[in-house]
Amino acid sequence: MPDTITITDDRTGKTVTVPIEGGVFPAAAVRELDPSLFIYDPAYMQTAACRSAITYLDGDNGILRYRGYPIEQLAEHSTYLEVAYLLLNGELPDAAQLTKWKQDVTAHTFIHENMRKRFVDGFHYDAHPMGMLVSSLAALGTFYNDAKDIFDKPSRDKQILRLIAKTPTLAAMAYRFSVGLPFNYPDNALSFPANFLNMMWKIGDYEVDPRLERAMDVLFILHADHEQNCGTTAMRVVGSSHADPYSSCAAAASALYGPLHGGANEAVVRMLSEIGSMENVPAFIDDVKSGKGSRLMGFGHRVYKNYDPRAKIIKQTAYEVFEVTGKNPLLDIALALEETALNDPYFVDRKLYPNVDFYSGLIYQALGFPVDMFTVLFAIPRTVGWLAHWQELLGDKDQKISRPRQWYTGVDARDYVPVAAR
Ligand code: SDX
């Protein structure tokens, strides 16, 4: 059977046959038929917007691989910084490369004092930490005017290092500001996750528990990249105009802020708290199914029509964290929701399974993070995913500035009428 597709325009009888490769065919085929014809695809449900070699998803079988490595193996054996190197460079580092990479990232964890003293202090006392992070990412770019030299590789690599290294510092700074605590400077003798936890929690004598350090590293690995999700698409769209990487990351973080995307981990914990007890689960599920209530947050996915492989690993990690912190009382409600939904035709027929956000919030809450920090915890590791796709975009000869067309459904031409005559 030939790997081609033939499209015929019945209005003209014109036919075009194009190859199918990697599960896609070029939309240029439509241009060949009729340049004024466009494919209507709201939310890009059936569109491959780019070629990418970074992350592979198989939604039907619940498979996720970074540069070919199964997420399960990376979560068990790797670290976030090693995975960050893999996503950016395409290969795992050897020992010397990993040592240098860690040193390079560590060298960039500090932020300019003006960011801490002037910029952050300008926020309202109850500013949402994710709103602060989005703003801080864009503001950070104003300290590095060389960031605009996006085709100068040494400069581009330095901005990538700065963003990976400084995002945890900005995140911890937003939290400390929101609770009125003094800012903790990075302690570069610590690992990437331990440095973040230390900046978050250090008051007096504070030691990072190695079990929690490892749990944070696993969560960072699981959230590092996920193909062409909403936030990464925003990164690519803004990056396609050749904006600097700080502005592009701020756009990506803004998309992640939405409750249908990265904001779902915060929405899940609020949902579980509102449900309040296992006895209330059946009534809540009925409410969701009626379409009148909220969605079952943390369930469903545009790509995964099976169990999100990350959710399985996070659920296991939750038990390991609870051994240290004590069980999050909301876990029983989450387990009851999952059990009910996985056996209810409404969810089964729509292929709605737990996604990455369903259990992650329970861990964050058990670790002491306030709910409004949860999406910030998603943004920290996803920064390297955004940057890996931004870097790939800049090197892709197929890519131009993103500028889709539309299906115009407005009124036809009409003449202006002065207000007196309306
Ligand atoms: C992330 O893209 C990524 O990779 C994202 C992410 C990443 O790593 O970057 O994986 C991170 O964003 C995970 C998703 C977190 N969001 C949530 O958990 C919010 C709740 N989930 C949904 O709103 C929804 O499932 C989406 C947004 C995730 C996906 O939505 P789709 O693919 O656009 O599906 P849809 O809205 O068209 O829903 C299809 C049907 C509808 O029912 P009908 O109108 O056909 O009767 O399923 C229903 C929806 O009403 N549905 C749900 C539901 N999700 C979809 N019903 C109840 N609860 C839900 N959670």
Side-chain angles (χ1 to χ4, degrees):
M1 183 168 65
D3 275 343
T4 57
I5 186 166
T6 298
I7 309 173
T8 299
D9 184 341
D10 295 331
R11 301 169 302 170
T12 61
K14 200 172 171 187
T15 288
V16 64
T17 298
V18 288
I20 296 172
E21 193 182 352
V24 305
F25 73 89
V30 176
R31 221 174 6 256
E32 236 182 278
L33 278 179
D34 173 356
S36 68
L37 197 57
F38 294 96
I39 297 171
Y40 178 56
D41 185 22
Y44 312 114
M45 299 271 286
Q46 208 62 32
T47 291
C50 63
R51 266 195 282 224
S52 181
I54 299 170
T55 291
Y56 173 77
L57 298 189
D58 175 340
D60 293 330
N61 298 301
I63 293 172
L64 166 56
R65 299 187 198 123
Y66 292 162
R67 300 287 188 177
Y69 293 97
I71 194 67
E72 294 80 4
Q73 294 181 26
L74 293 171
E76 187 177 352
H77 303 295
S78 189
T79 65
Y80 170 71
L81 278 191
E82 184 177 71
V83 164
Y85 183 99
L86 171 66
L87 289 169
L88 288 165
N89 298 285
E91 297 297 336
L92 286 169
D94 62 27
Q97 288 166 330
L98 184 56
T99 301
K100 182 175 184 314
W101 171 245
K102 284 180 184 174
Q103 287 166 347
D104 289 348
V105 172
T106 303
H108 289 283
T109 54
F110 278 68
I111 53 175
H112 193 290
E113 277 295 280
N114 283 6
M115 275 299 288
R116 185 181 68 79
K117 281 193 307 206
R118 306 255 178 89
F119 182 75
V120 171
D121 282 353
F123 285 106
H124 199 248
Y125 74 91
D126 59 355
H128 193 293
M130 193 58 188
M132 293 171 73
L133 180 66
V134 166
S135 321
S136 304
L137 285 169
L140 196 61
T142 66
F143 288 83
Y144 309 108
N145 288 322
D146 55 342
K148 291 182 171 37
D149 305 334
I150 61 175
F151 291 104
D152 175 281
K153 186 170 179 355
S155 169
R156 189 169 66 231
D157 289 349
K158 186 184 282 185
Q159 312 317 327
I160 288 172
L161 275 175
R162 281 170 170 155
L163 275 158
I164 292 170
K166 294 177 193 315
T167 302
T169 310
L170 295 175
M173 176 177 67
Y175 167 71
R176 300 287 287 195
F177 170 84
S178 69
V179 292
L181 285 172
F183 173 65
N184 280 324
Y185 288 97
D187 175 348
N188 290 333
L190 299 172
S191 71
F192 186 89
N195 204 352
F196 170 64
L197 291 174
N198 190 60
M199 286 190 282
M200 278 292 300
W201 305 127
K202 184 175 177 57
I203 297 176
D205 290 337
Y206 170 77
E207 286 292 317
V208 177
D209 184 312
R211 294 165 295 179
L212 303 185
E213 175 185 359
R214 179 60 195 157
M216 209 71 236
D217 219 7
V218 170
L219 285 161
F220 282 170
I221 289 169
L222 295 174
H223 287 83
D225 191 50
H226 212 240
E227 202 218 54
Q228 305 308 319
N229 58 84
C230 185
T232 301
T233 297
M235 181 80 185
R236 280 180 170 266
V237 169
V238 173
S240 75
S241 74
H242 292 175
D244 70 81
Y246 299 87
S247 308
S248 303
C249 278
S254 298
L256 190 70
Y257 198 177
L260 291 187
H261 190 13
N265 54 18
E266 181 177 339
V268 167
V269 168
R270 294 190 195 284
M271 171 187 75
L272 295 173
S273 305
E274 279 161 29
I275 292 170
S277 73
M278 291 170 68
E279 293 65 42
N280 296 337
V281 164
F284 178 79
I285 288 287
D286 290 342
D287 214 30
V288 170
K289 288 159 65 177
S290 72
K292 293 196 216 76
S294 81
R295 288 191 159 188
L296 178 51
M297 301 309 276
F299 258 68
H301 199 276
R302 176 64 57 77
V303 177
Y304 290 127
K305 300 309 171 190
N306 199 320
Y307 215 101
D308 184 333
R310 300 167 296 177
K312 281 183 194 154
I313 301 167
I314 290 175
K315 189 174 175 181
Q316 175 52 41
T317 305
Y319 287 104
E320 291 158 13
V321 167
F322 296 160
E323 277 172 23
V324 179
T325 62
K327 190 173 93 170
N328 185 324
L330 295 177
L331 176 67
D332 292 333
I333 301 174
L335 291 170
L337 270 175
E338 179 183 358
E339 173 71 22
T340 308
L342 293 185
N343 292 290
D344 184 309
Y346 177 92
F347 299 93
V348 175
D349 295 349
R350 291 169 175 79
K351 298 184 177 179
L352 302 175
Y353 294 88
N355 60 49
V356 67
D357 292 306
F358 190 63
Y359 285 104
S360 56
L362 294 179
I363 298 179
Y364 297 146
Q365 194 172 47
L367 289 172
F369 291 102
V371 177
D372 60 9
M373 273 294 286
F374 290 5
T375 310
V376 173
L377 296 169
F378 196 146
I380 292 171
R382 186 52 64 86
T383 301
V384 71
W386 296 334
L387 290 165
H389 283 274
W390 174 70
Q391 180 179 257
E392 185 176 63
L393 162 86
L394 295 181
D396 184 343
K397 298 281 172 285
D398 283 358
Q399 291 296 332
K400 295 170 178 280
I401 186 168
S402 289
R403 204 277 185 226
R405 296 301 305 277
Q406 62 178 13
W407 170 9
Y408 177 70
T409 55
V411 296
D412 279 340
R414 52 184 173 169
D415 296 323
Y416 180 81
V417 176
V419 66
R422 284 178 214 154

